[in-house]
Amino acid sequence: MTSSSQKIKAFTLTEMMVVIVISAVVIGLAFTILNIVQKNMRSIENNYQHQSEIQSLEVAMTIDFNRYPKAQWNSEENKLTLSSPIEKRIYMFSADSISNDLETYVLKTKNLTYYFEGKEVTSGSIDAIKLTFDNTTDLHRIFVYKYNDPTIYF
């Protein structure tokens, strides 16, 4: 009887440990990258929601400015009243939102400028409004105007 010793082909313990360490590093990097991607997606979503709020406010104000012939700004109450003989719409401006009878827009305004016939005014009749917002560039602003009808002079 001869005893022949056969070697079993397998990985050594050291080789297995190296593979586990490399796998742990790769998985750690994958989770780090996933976290960065999730933060970027949240940031994109917040920017999109903010831009949508601005565009929604601009559409609503454009429609209302052209629907109602009379626009009055009350600087003491931070209130814009758009009215016709039949109905009126009121916009209230606060530090962190702009609201009207139908909706509230969660937007922090940086600067509000009111115009009447091309001149800046602080209160009274207006025919244009320019709004700039916090956390945006100057490109993200609203300028809404209307054409005055002859009745404003009577």
Side-chain angles (χ1 to χ4, degrees):
M1 273 183 138
T2 60
S3 72
S4 62
S5 92
Q6 289 184 325
K7 240 184 173 181
I8 300 174
K9 293 185 179 182
F11 295 108
T12 63
L13 184 60
T14 307
E15 291 171 333
M16 293 300 287
M17 293 293 285
V18 168
V19 168
I20 289 173
V21 167
I22 291 173
S23 297
V25 168
V26 169
I27 290 171
L29 288 173
F31 277 112
T32 303
I33 291 171
L34 180 64
N35 190 21
I36 291 170
V37 168
Q38 286 176 335
K39 284 181 182 178
N40 285 339
M41 290 301 293
R42 275 187 235 111
S43 175
I44 290 169
E45 182 180 357
N46 290 340
N47 287 340
Y48 179 76
Q49 285 178 332
H50 187 70
Q51 189 62 33
S52 294
E53 280 289 302
I54 291 173
Q55 288 175 342
S56 179
L57 175 64
E58 183 176 19
V59 168
M61 289 188 83
T62 300
I63 289 170
D64 290 340
F65 256 73
N66 290 299
R67 182 178 189 186
Y68 300 103
K70 188 175 181 183
Q72 290 286 117
W73 171 246
N74 184 338
S75 60
E76 294 172 1
E77 297 177 8
N78 282 338
K79 181 168 75 170
L80 174 64
T81 305
L82 304 164
S83 61
S84 71
I86 301 171
E87 61 182 326
K88 68 179 176 179
R89 174 80 32 94
I90 297 173
Y91 282 88
M92 297 296 293
F93 292 82
S94 65
D96 61 348
S97 66
I98 300 169
S99 60
N100 63 19
D101 307 338
L102 304 173
E103 195 169 349
T104 299
Y105 304 95
V106 182
L107 296 167
K108 292 182 181 181
T109 55
K110 185 179 359 179
N111 191 11
L112 300 167
T113 312
Y114 304 95
Y115 300 93
F116 184 69
E117 293 186 339
K119 296 179 182 129
E120 195 172 318
V121 296
T122 55
S123 63
S125 292
I126 65 169
D127 58 8
I129 183 171
K130 182 172 115 179
L131 294 96
T132 55
F133 303 98
D134 281 346
N135 303 326
T136 60
T137 64
D138 284 337
L139 296 174
H140 298 114
R141 64 180 176 266
I142 294 176
F143 185 78
V144 179
Y145 66 95
K146 70 181 187 93
Y147 293 107
N148 291 325
D149 60 354
T151 59
I152 65 164
Y153 301 107
F154 297 120

